[in-house]
């Protein structure tokens, strides 16, 4: 899953896809489409388009602003490229408009907690990723508390899966995500990565995002732009732990890691690329 961030303040790549004008952040459709094409050529199966910054301390972005950023990009990718489009939002209005514009996947860091969100997805055919977060982006890294992080994150995800199932969303449309960096200490993040195999008990595909995050930066001691090797190492550990989808800024390198993992996992069916 390649990340397309349409926010001016992304810690790693946001402002490259638009400009800050007097009237707010203006997305460049040409640049964004080019980025999407490149990610697709590099092997991305899903593109995750987001207009709301969710990094620690970020301010909320209005529904209208999110739609102004995201919808033209969804429409342009839909009519030009053959790829699964995911939209990163917790807002029911944004989800509804994104699905109408061609998104097939909703990536909600708030696990459909907005009123009516579960019902909206139930009435659509979209897939949805339910992510765990403790607190809200503005304050989540200031106060978090767990007795047993893995058990608590799994219990939360199970409860959200049950809420979706009760309103008729088929299991085949659901994915779960432990939410690395969302209201968690460094130790919590690595405990979740180490114990990822336990999440198999949920019997759903695991999606996760670790790309360039502070859990990588903290242990390698490098700024976001220099965290590729660390991110790939973590992605490989996540794949070994059972992850199905890796959300990443660096598609080519991540796809290489996935290919090596697949060959390791099933040596007899290793795919040969002629040089
Ligand atoms: C995640 C996400 C993640 C899912 C972000 C960043 C922060 N969505 N959106 N999982 N992280 N599903 O990319 O560093 O971990 S935004």
């Amino acid at each position: 899953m390649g990340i397309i961030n349409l926010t001016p303040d992304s810690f790693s790549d946001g402002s490259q896809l638009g400009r800050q004008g007097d009237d707010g952040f203006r997305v460049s459709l040409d640049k964004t489409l080019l980025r999407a094409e490149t990610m697709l050529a590099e092997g991305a199966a899903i593109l995750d388009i987001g207009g709301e910054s969710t990094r620690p301390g970020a301010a909320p972005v209005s529904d209208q602003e999110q739609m102004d950023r995201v919808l033209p990009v969804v429409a342009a990718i839909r009519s030009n490229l053959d790829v699964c489009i995911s939209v990163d939002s917790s807002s029911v209005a944004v989800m509804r408009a994104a699905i109408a514009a061609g998104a097939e996947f909703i990536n909600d860091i708030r696990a459909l907690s907005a009123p009516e969100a579960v019902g909206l997805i139930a009435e659509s055919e979209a897939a949805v990723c339910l992510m765990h977060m403790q607190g809200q982006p503005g304050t989540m890294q200031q106060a978090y508390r767990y007795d047993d992080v893995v058990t608590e994150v799994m219990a939360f995800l199970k409860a959200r899966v049950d809420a979706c199932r009760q309103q008729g969303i088929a299991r085949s449309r659901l994915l779960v995500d432990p939410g690395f960096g969302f209201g968690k200490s460094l130790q919590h993040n690595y405990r979740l990565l180490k114990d990822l195999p336990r999440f198999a008990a949920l019997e759903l595909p695991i999606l996760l995002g670790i790309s360039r995050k502070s859990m990588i930066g903290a242990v390698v001691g490098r700024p976001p732009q220099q965290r590729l090797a660390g991110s790939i190492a973590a992605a490989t550990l996540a794949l070994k732990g059972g992850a199905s989808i890796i959300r990443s800024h660096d598609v080519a390198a991540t796809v290489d890691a996935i290919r090596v993992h697949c060959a390791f996992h099933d040596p007899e069916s290793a795919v040969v690329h002629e040089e």
Side-chain angles (χ1 to χ4, degrees):
M1 173 185 263
I3 302 171
I4 302 213
N5 252 325
L6 305 176
T7 57
D9 56 345
S10 161
F11 72 93
S12 55
D13 66 348
S15 50
Q16 292 171 17
L17 298 178
R19 279 188 300 110
Q20 189 66 43
D22 296 339
D23 51 348
F25 181 68
R26 289 265 148 270
V27 172
S28 159
L29 259 188
D30 287 350
K31 283 185 189 165
T32 306
L33 208 51
L34 197 63
R35 171 75 59 89
E37 275 172 37
T38 304
M39 286 183 162
L40 200 54
E42 289 174 347
I46 307 168
L47 298 179
D48 189 38
I49 300 159
E52 182 199 20
S53 176
T54 47
R55 69 178 195 174
V61 178
S62 73
D63 287 358
Q64 190 58 50
E65 180 74 35
Q66 286 189 56
M67 289 197 261
D68 290 347
R69 293 175 183 177
V70 165
L71 296 182
V73 169
V74 171
I77 294 178
R78 183 75 300 147
S79 46
N80 287 285
L81 302 173
D82 185 17
V83 65
C84 176
I85 300 174
S86 160
V87 167
D88 212 321
S89 185
S90 303
S91 148
V92 171
V94 177
M95 290 178 197
R96 183 181 292 115
I99 291 169
E104 299 159 291
F105 193 115
I106 297 295
N107 177 26
D108 184 5
I109 62 159
R110 296 180 181 83
L112 302 184
S113 58
E116 319 290 334
V118 175
L120 171 80
I121 297 300
E123 285 165 21
S124 78
E125 290 175 6
V128 62
C129 177
L130 304 167
M131 197 195 81
H132 174 272
M133 167 165 60
Q134 190 177 93
Q136 290 296 319
T139 51
M140 65 191 175
Q141 291 306 102
Q142 291 161 22
Y144 36 69
R145 227 215 91 74
Y146 301 91
D147 290 320
D148 176 340
V149 68
V150 177
T151 303
E152 288 169 44
V153 170
M154 284 182 66
F156 171 87
L157 292 175
K158 184 174 183 312
R160 297 311 298 151
V161 168
D162 290 347
C164 290
R165 297 286 298 123
Q166 274 161 20
Q167 291 203 41
I169 303 177
R171 288 188 70 84
S172 59
R173 291 206 272 144
L174 297 173
L175 301 96
V176 290
D177 182 338
F180 289 97
F182 286 87
K184 289 155 187 111
S185 71
L186 188 66
Q187 286 69 30
H188 294 139
N189 287 319
Y190 279 97
R191 173 50 60 191
L192 285 164
L193 185 56
K194 184 161 192 180
D195 288 357
L196 202 61
R198 284 179 56 191
F199 285 76
L202 295 171
E203 300 184 314
L204 287 170
I206 299 167
L207 183 159
L208 54 82
I210 31 190
S211 181
R212 304 186 189 176
K213 282 190 177 171
S214 64
M215 68 180 281
I216 307 298
V219 299
V220 300
R222 297 183 198 282
Q225 301 295 348
Q226 295 169 25
R227 294 177 188 169
L228 177 57
S231 299
I232 295 300
T236 305
L237 295 166
L239 290 163
K240 186 94 167 61
S244 296
I245 300 178
I246 308 289
R247 184 179 177 276
S248 172
H249 302 87
D250 303 289
V251 172
T254 306
V255 169
D256 281 1
I258 291 171
R259 287 183 174 150
V260 170
H261 171 263
C262 289
F264 169 84
H265 188 69
D266 188 1
E268 278 66 44
S269 12
V271 176
V272 177
H273 283 265
E274 301 297 343
E275 285 179 33

